[in-house]
Amino acid sequence: MNGTFQVDGSFKIGEGSNDLLAVKELIFSLPVENLKSDKKKLDQTAYKALKTDQYKEIVFSITSTTVKEVQSDKFRSLRLTT
């Protein structure tokens, strides 16, 4: 299944540089019925299992993390709090 989602967040940038030092908050929100497969019956079964009548969104929230640059413009999270 594939789906589109919305991302909101805030980041801490190093003073006097463009270095990404930490992610202060990052929220992914996915409306469950945005998940689609190439089979309508599979979609209906998934929506039922995910209880879309009660739960309209899947939300993943990172409240803090520290990041480290591992290559130029590539970063890795060192600590993650969700």
Side-chain angles (χ1 to χ4, degrees):
M1 299 184 89
N2 296 306
T4 59
F5 57 92
Q6 182 176 2
V7 179
D8 294 307
S10 61
F11 307 90
K12 180 179 178 184
I13 304 296
E15 193 171 321
S17 74
N18 289 329
D19 295 340
L20 177 65
L21 301 178
V23 176
K24 292 295 187 184
E25 179 183 51
L26 186 60
I27 300 170
F28 294 90
S29 175
L30 170 66
V32 178
E33 291 187 0
N34 278 10
L35 289 171
K36 302 285 184 201
S37 70
D38 55 352
K39 297 186 173 38
K40 188 174 182 178
K41 183 67 174 164
L42 176 61
D43 294 348
Q44 293 170 343
T45 302
Y47 300 156
K48 184 177 178 182
L50 292 168
K51 300 180 181 179
T52 59
D53 55 329
Q54 290 178 283
Y55 307 104
K56 303 293 183 197
E57 292 184 312
I58 297 170
V59 178
F60 179 77
S61 176
I62 298 170
T63 55
S64 70
T65 186
T66 302
V67 294
K68 178 182 177 184
E69 187 172 26
V70 292
Q71 288 181 350
S72 180
D73 295 326
K74 293 186 181 184
F75 299 90
R76 173 168 289 147
S77 177
L78 301 176
R79 284 175 294 195
L80 184 66
T81 307
T82 58

